[in-house]
Structure formats: structure tokens, C-alpha cells
Amino acid sequence: GIQVEQSPPDLILQEGANSTLRCNFSDSVNNLQWFHQNPWGQLINLFYIPSGTKQNGRLSATTVATERYSLLYISSSQTTDSGVYFCAVIALDSGAGSYQLTFGKGTKLSVIP
Amino acid sequence: DAGVIQSPRHEVTEMGQEVTLRCKPISGHNSLFWYRQTMMRGLELLIYFNNNVPIDDSGMPEDRFSAKMPNASFSTLKIQPSEPRDSAVYFCASSPRMGGNTEAFFGQGTRLTVV
């Protein structure tokens, strides 16, 4: 199946700093999503981004499908940004004959005041 | 829309007992997914349904696990008998349709502890 790798695994930021999270995937994908898992465990949709660039407030994401990677930018980080950021790709699993949403292992972000 | 609704939010049970987790997908969504999250293995797809029909259950760990979707607005994941290694957070997600160009939305999860 497709492999999804995220980096860095852990990140500590001072409040107000900027950061870039990366997601690499091993094969062609139909779609890509970024999620934020907050400290209460809730998975929150950030971006649905098969290609191109999208922005939502202090967050933006870019996916370059031809080069098999996506980036999540967080600017002017706040303590409420803390949590785990997941990248998930949707790709056809030829073995199963169905589309699968496969997650990376996440980047754990801690923003300190 | 209230989003994907899961119940219970927390479940503590004794080893050997039957556990049933419930999920109500977003109205109008045709695809439903069950995931399990553990520290060791991260988020794993267990099974998914399209139009109430199981499409891929290759992620179901063993016969103790079963899932049903009797109608478009309800699904269950059952573990019988439960074991301590089943302790995890179980998520349900739904999307408008099966296929590549679709966005999935997750419920708040059920934290299962088997003692």
C-alpha cells in the first residue's frame, strides 16, 4: 500500500513563531487532507487539497502532486495550535480494489508561551 | 449539520465482555469508515462501507471484530469478546461518496479501555 511520511515527528515552537510541516507520499494519490488532532483527541479538518495552495487564516497548505509532497504552514503560532497534525492521502488500493484514506504518523506540535 | 456522532464517548469494560460502538454519519453521506488509533500503530482503517454495503474489511484485526450498517444513518462496531489489547480510540468517519475526490469528516471518537 501507499506510504505516508510526515516530518518532523515532534516540534516545539515559541508562541509567535512560524513553522512548516511536511508530508511525503510514495505513490500517486487522488486527494490529500490535513487534520489537526487537538489535546482532547478530536480530529479537525484543516484542508482538502489534492493540488495547489489554499489558505485559511494563519494556516496555509500546498500540495505538489507530481512531486508527491504536501506542506502545511503555520504562521504566528498560538498555544491553541498545539496538538498533532496529520496528513492523510486517498489512493486506490489495487489489492483491495477500493479507495483508502491512509494516514501518516503525524507531527506533534507544542507551542509554548 | 451536527457532524458525525459517536457513542459512547468513553467505555470501560472487563475482558471477555461484548462491546458495541455506535456511529451516526453526516446526513447524505454515502461512505462510512471505522478507524482505530493507538500509540503504537497510529490511525488504522478497520472497515469501510459504501451505500450501507461493506466494501473493504481487510483491516479488521480478527474475527472478534464485526461491523454492520443496517441503514444509511447508523453503523455499529462490535467486539466480542473484548481483550485488553483492544484498548484504543475508535473513530468513525463519513464522506459524501466513495472514490478519490471526496473529503472525510470524523466523529469525536470512542475511547475504549478493556481491563
Side-chain angles (χ1 to χ4, degrees), chain A residues 21-23 25 32 34 49 62-64 68-72:
Chain A
L21 282 56
R22 187 176 181 100
C23 171
F25 39 96
L32 186 145
W34 282 98
I49 182 167
T62 295
T63 297
V64 184
R68 299 181 184 171
Y69 73 90
S70 183
L71 302 174
L72 178 69

Side-chain angles (χ1 to χ4, degrees), chain B residues 52-91:
Chain B
N52 312 340
V53 176
I55 300 299
D56 182 1
D57 65 354
S58 59
M60 296 286 263
E62 49 195 277
D63 292 346
R64 297 184 297 106
F65 286 69
S66 62
K68 293 182 179 180
M69 192 165 186
N71 57 62
S73 59
F74 184 65
S75 177
T76 59
L77 177 67
K78 185 177 294 186
I79 308 172
Q80 165 63 14
S82 58
E83 297 182 3
R85 60 192 169 120
D86 301 331
S87 297
V89 180
Y90 291 80
F91 286 100

Side-chain angles (χ1 to χ4, degrees), chain A residues 93 96 98-100, chain B residues 45-49 53-59:
Chain A
D93 183 325
S98 62
Y99 288 93
Q100 302 240 346
Chain B
L45 177 66
L46 299 178
I47 185 171
Y48 90 84
F49 295 83
V53 176
I55 300 299
D56 182 1
D57 65 354
S58 59

